[in-house]
Amino acid sequence: MMGMNSQEPRTHCLRCGECCARSSPTLHRKDLPLVREGFIRMEHLYTLRKGEGVRDNVHETLIPADQEMIKVREKKGGKGNCIFYDETEKACAIYDNRPAQCASLKCWDTAEFLELYKTPRLQRRDLIADGVLLGLMEEHDKRCSYAALHDNVRRIPEDGDDSLKKILELLKFDFHLRPFMARKLGMRSEEINFFFGRPLTETIVMFGLKVEKQRDGGFLLTSFNKNGVME
């Protein structure tokens, strides 16, 4: 009997915390009320812009995002834990108002999650009514697009310093825009990564590059070899 019971399919959550500790959820359109009603606030979120590297959990690699995505922030430290996950209690701080991905994710049956995956994802435009702010965000997306960044990185072998100069200009523009916009529009610093996506000085690592801030305020680009060692 013991052997037979051990083979029975699981039908409920064991609260192991694996799904909450590995990553945070991406929001779908049906999550719009959670943000509008304040259960999830903008400082809890960040935006993955089109072309930014996202993790393909199947092949364990980074691939460019084919569309904009809004995600719940992860805790600092690199573990990937969702900010709402309480490791001690192995519980969600907003369980009754958790995002659709969390509610549909059942590790013993992925059917509901896969159906949700086909539905539209939440976009910044769904949450922002200020036309001026939207215009600034669109201009930032154009000037600091991942397509432009990728093109300049690709041209480094043939164009050398010219391509590096263009990359540094993009990095500096994005870097200095953030505190300026926070002051100008009265944003909290924690909200900037929602409105303008993650800083290029951080996401540049998807291209095998790393930014080092110099004492004079300038940036130095270093590259990584296949073993992850700076060259």
Side-chain angles (χ1 to χ4, degrees), residues 109-152:
D109 184 358
T110 59
E112 186 179 345
F113 180 83
L114 293 176
E115 282 301 310
L116 173 71
Y117 195 80
K118 300 173 186 176
T119 66
R121 296 181 183 179
L122 197 63
Q123 306 283 292
R124 288 174 290 178
R125 183 173 287 276
D126 298 323
L127 297 168
I128 300 170
D130 187 325
V132 173
L133 178 55
L134 284 170
L136 291 169
M137 289 162 49
E138 288 174 4
E139 186 60 32
H140 172 261
D141 279 343
K142 290 177 185 176
R143 181 160 180 177
C144 298
S145 72
Y146 283 97
L149 199 55
H150 178 268
D151 187 56
N152 283 309

Side-chain angles (χ1 to χ4, degrees), residues 40-52:
I40 298 176
R41 300 190 300 273
M42 289 178 183
E43 64 261 33
H44 296 146
L45 304 170
Y46 70 93
T47 298
L48 288 172
R49 297 190 295 128
K50 184 176 180 180
E52 186 174 344

